[in-house]
Amino acid sequence: MNKILEIKNLSKDYHTINGEISAIEDISLDIYKNEIIGIVGSSGCGKSTLLSILSGIEKQSSGEIISNNNNFSYMLQSDALMPWLNIIDNACLGLDIKHLKTPENIAYVEKLLSNFGLSAFLKAYPNNLSGGMRQRVALVRTLATKPDIILLDEPLSALDYVTRLTISDDIYKLIKKSNVTTILISHDIAECISMCDRIVVLTKRPGKIKNIYNINLKNKKTPSENRKDKLFVHYYDLVWGDLDKDIT
Amino acid sequence: MKLEKKIILITQIFITLSFIIIWEILSKQGIINSFIFSSPAKIIKCLYELYIANNLWIHIYVTLKEIFISFALGSIIGFSFAVIFYSIPILKKIFDPFLTILNSLPKVSLGPLLIIWLGANIKSIIVMSLLINTIVTLISIYNGLINTDSYKIKLFHSFNATNYQILTKLIIPHNIEVIISSLKLNISMSLIGVIMGEFLVSKAGIGYLILYGTQVFNLTLVMTGIILILIISFIIYQIITFFEKNYNT
Ligand SMILES: Nc1ncnc2c1ncn2[C@@H]1O[C@H](COP(=O)(O)OP(=O)(O)OP(=O)(O)O)[C@@H](O)[C@H]1O
Ligand SMILES: [Mg+2]
């Protein structure tokens, strides 16, 4: 398998008025091309911090990230759609900032939106969209710049259960079609197992790697099909057993 | 128009008219001293005389010009400093106490100094008005800016946006309502500042009319000046509301 990204001994301390907070500690991880890798861990263990460092928003305190000029695209924990931009302009925001808003790229975005059944809403504004639609637009915005690696921070957590199931299928198909490597944070273990090729379990803060599981379901299909696999419950129990459950 | 709106408007007009009529009757009947309290008829006559003497428009023009200049400068300076303080937080921390002190200082007390430093001319009036409107504009816009959604800022950073892009594509559109409402505040501050400035130094303008009226004990002239200010601020308010509505649709 092709390594696309190497994370070596990554640590991050935040300096706050109450002193130093160590958010993640000594994380080493190889990411392979086109895989979907899930990250689970208790709340506040440093998952978002890890993605922020990979995307370049935050700087690590120590350790290094070895990548060969990969383009990252980050889908944040909130959809962060701009209420003053219509759907197509929201989806093209990254292209616009990077001065890549060419007719071809706009056509590509329109195609992605229509994949998601949003063709009729190109000129609509985010306030008129349901939570599920907004999340789809945010995902299209993430994919619009044709990144090599996408970082998804709880892309579905704001949605109701039924919407989550259908959108996770949609997202999954789109990811597989776009040949993009995906790092997915989710606090929903079942969702993670149904979508990912591997799952990294982090300890509670400061997050360290506790375990990495390869998810070898019989024949991988869509996430909702995967949930019916015999081994699904087996993986669920493994990951569940690893998670720190003490409420802090 | 909805019924409620109609009732409100009609009542407002009714109150205004009754006030004017009662005022007129009281002074006509000698119940109040029309030398001290003037009367609507006298004020209209005074306006007419100013108009005949070719003075009315000059005074209105001078005051409006001063309001406009200080409004424009105050908005630009206030906005720029709000952006600078937002971009460089340490500057804000350094200047915070100075701003607070300056903001609570009654600006009129600086009047005599302004006259000596800048001369008895329009510069003193504009600076007096700027002292009043700039800090208020700065503070209200700054408070809007620091409330910009941090996720959206992160998103822009994740696309490697430049600071200029963050300003023009995120901060300004995100805060457009705050900016408009601070401009609204600014224009009434400018009006206050300009009249105050004209009290200090002026050879024309509505503030001058009022001051002159006081000196020669022509209280009708004073009242006329006040009425003119009311009319100007009413018109400015209508213009802003018009722009605000057009922006929202
Ligand atoms: N900018 C910051 N400054 C200071 N501390 C921070 C900052 N960002 C995060 N932290 C702290 O670092 C720790 C890890 O935060 P992070 O957001 O990465 O957790 P998370 O795993 O994503 O949590 P959640 O599941 O709730 O989203 C938390 O204790 C948080 O309070
Ligand atoms: Mg998080």
Side-chain angles (χ1 to χ4, degrees):
Chain A
M1 274 198 288
N2 256 336
K3 232 188 262 178
I4 190 169
L5 183 69
E6 216 175 310
I7 301 168
K8 276 187 167 169
N9 311 103
L10 206 65
S11 298
K12 171 74 186 174
D13 306 320
Y14 285 111
H15 306 277
T16 68
I17 24 174
N18 302 323
E20 296 223 331
I21 293 181
S22 173
I24 55 173
E25 201 175 285
D26 198 24
I27 289 190
S28 296
L29 185 64
D30 292 342
I31 313 276
Y32 300 102
K33 195 160 168 35
N34 293 347
E35 75 169 332
I36 305 182
I37 184 161
I39 296 176
V40 299
S42 53
S43 185
C45 75
K47 304 182 292 295
S48 299
T49 300
L50 178 59
L51 294 200
S52 299
I53 295 171
L54 292 178
S55 71
I57 295 177
E58 296 278 359
K59 189 109 195 66
Q60 68 264 37
S61 306
S62 63
E64 57 181 326
I65 298 159
I66 302 163
S67 83
N68 17 16
N69 275 331
N70 291 308
N71 272 324
F72 288 92
S73 197
Y74 190 3
M75 181 170 168
L76 292 147
Q77 209 158 355
S78 121
D79 64 40
L81 296 179
M82 311 297 145
W84 59 89
L85 294 179
N86 64 26
I87 296 314
I88 183 79
D89 288 343
N90 260 297
C92 289
L93 184 71
L95 293 172
D96 186 24
I97 292 172
K98 290 171 184 281
H99 306 291
L100 293 171
K101 208 171 164 189
T102 60
E104 299 86 68
N105 285 336
I106 296 174
Y108 175 65
V109 170
E110 281 176 1
K111 205 185 91 202
L112 292 179
L113 287 170
S114 82
N115 269 340
F116 271 158
L118 288 165
S119 298
F121 296 91
L122 299 186
K123 298 281 177 227
Y125 284 84
N127 288 346
N128 300 324
L129 265 54
S130 69
M133 292 160 126
R134 294 173 62 108
Q135 221 57 24
R136 289 174 157 107
V137 176
L139 182 71
V140 171
R141 180 180 62 199
T142 311
L143 290 169
T145 50
K146 300 196 175 139
D148 308 305
I149 303 176
I150 54 175
L151 312 166
L152 307 182
D153 195 345
E154 306 262 14
L156 307 175
S157 62
L159 307 176
D160 65 86
Y161 189 68
V162 177
T163 317
R164 286 168 81 138
L165 290 188
T166 49
I167 296 197
S168 64
D169 280 5
D170 288 349
I171 291 184
Y172 186 82
K173 284 181 210 154
L174 195 56
I175 288 174
K176 287 296 169 194
K177 210 157 77 182
S178 343
N179 279 325
V180 59
T181 308
T182 305
I183 305 180
L184 169 77
I185 290 180
S186 175
H187 63 249
D188 183 336
I189 304 170
E191 184 177 286
C192 239
I193 296 170
S194 73
M195 292 181 77
C196 296
D197 303 306
R198 283 195 298 157
I199 290 184
V200 177
V201 183
L202 296 182
T203 64
K204 68 182 172 193
R205 193 173 61 97
K208 294 184 275 288
I209 292 183
K210 188 163 194 179
N211 247 322
I212 301 179
Y213 295 100
N214 288 310
I215 307 295
N216 296 312
L217 300 178
K218 279 275 153 45
N219 36 13
K220 283 225 169 110
K221 295 182 207 98
T222 60
S224 52
E225 291 289 316
N226 288 345
R227 284 171 188 256
K228 298 172 196 151
D229 196 292
K230 278 209 209 71
L231 285 172
F232 189 83
V233 180
H234 163 70
Y235 286 119
Y236 192 97
D237 290 339
L238 280 177
V239 175
W240 176 251
D242 268 353
L243 274 184
D244 288 301
K245 287 171 258 342
D246 46 335
I247 316 274
T248 45
Chain B
M1 237 194 288
K2 276 208 338 234
L3 183 64
E4 193 191 74
K5 269 192 184 167
K6 262 187 196 166
I7 294 175
I8 291 174
L9 185 65
I10 290 172
T11 318
Q12 285 168 337
I13 294 173
F14 177 76
I15 293 173
T16 314
L17 286 179
S18 346
F19 176 75
I20 293 171
I21 292 168
I22 292 172
W23 184 8
E24 183 63 31
I25 292 173
L26 288 179
S27 66
K28 265 265 153 51
Q29 301 296 320
I31 300 170
I32 58 173
N33 184 342
S34 73
F35 181 69
I36 297 178
F37 292 103
S38 190
S39 78
K42 281 184 159 182
I43 289 171
I44 290 168
K45 189 163 157 263
C46 177
L47 278 173
Y48 181 71
E49 281 164 4
L50 281 171
Y51 176 71
I52 291 296
N54 251 336
N55 276 335
L56 184 61
W57 297 120
I58 293 175
H59 291 298
I60 293 176
Y61 168 77
V62 166
T63 299
L64 280 181
K65 186 178 79 183
E66 290 160 353
I67 291 175
F68 181 76
I69 293 174
S70 58
F71 169 72
L73 284 178
S75 303
I76 293 169
I77 298 171
F79 178 78
S80 310
F81 274 94
V83 170
I84 291 171
F85 284 157
Y86 173 75
S87 318
I88 312 171
I90 187 154
L91 278 186
K92 162 73 175 149
K93 284 182 190 142
I94 292 171
F95 285 103
D96 211 25
F98 299 113
L99 283 179
T100 314
I101 294 171
L102 200 56
N103 199 28
S104 56
L105 178 79
K107 309 303 177 302
V108 74
S109 63
L110 296 174
L113 288 177
L114 289 182
I115 299 173
I116 294 167
W117 291 341
L118 300 168
N121 53 39
I122 185 171
K123 274 191 248 162
S124 293
I125 300 175
I126 302 288
V127 171
M128 169 58 73
S129 180
L130 287 179
L131 283 171
I132 292 172
N133 70 14
T134 308
I135 298 176
V136 177
T137 309
L138 192 170
I139 292 174
S140 68
I141 293 183
Y142 175 82
N143 284 337
L145 298 188
I146 53 171
N147 286 325
T148 307
D149 182 1
S150 67
Y151 277 117
K152 296 201 171 91
I153 295 174
K154 279 190 187 166
L155 179 77
F156 271 70
H157 281 304
S158 82
F159 286 128
N160 290 325
T162 60
N163 285 338
Y164 180 72
Q165 285 176 320
I166 294 179
L167 180 69
T168 53
K169 290 181 193 291
L170 175 61
I171 310 269
I172 293 178
H174 194 276
N175 288 290
I176 195 75
E177 269 143 46
V178 173
I179 292 171
I180 288 179
S181 76
S182 80
L183 294 185
K184 241 167 127 175
L185 193 63
N186 183 357
I187 200 126
S188 30
M189 291 293 156
S190 303
L191 185 65
I192 296 173
V194 162
I195 298 297
M196 216 139 115
E198 287 181 349
F199 278 2
L200 288 171
V201 282
S202 61
K203 295 178 190 69
I206 298 167
Y208 165 80
L209 277 187
I210 294 175
L211 196 70
Y212 176 76
T214 320
Q215 283 161 359
V216 299
F217 227 72
N218 179 353
L219 294 184
T220 299
L221 190 55
V222 175
M223 294 277 191
T224 306
I226 293 170
I227 299 285
L228 282 176
I229 295 175
L230 287 178
I231 293 171
I232 287 179
S233 69
F234 178 75
I235 291 172
I236 289 175
Y237 182 78
Q238 292 300 321
I239 292 173
I240 293 174
T241 322
F242 174 79
F243 276 117
E244 217 175 7
K245 269 196 199 132
N246 275 27
Y247 168 75
N248 284 337
T249 50

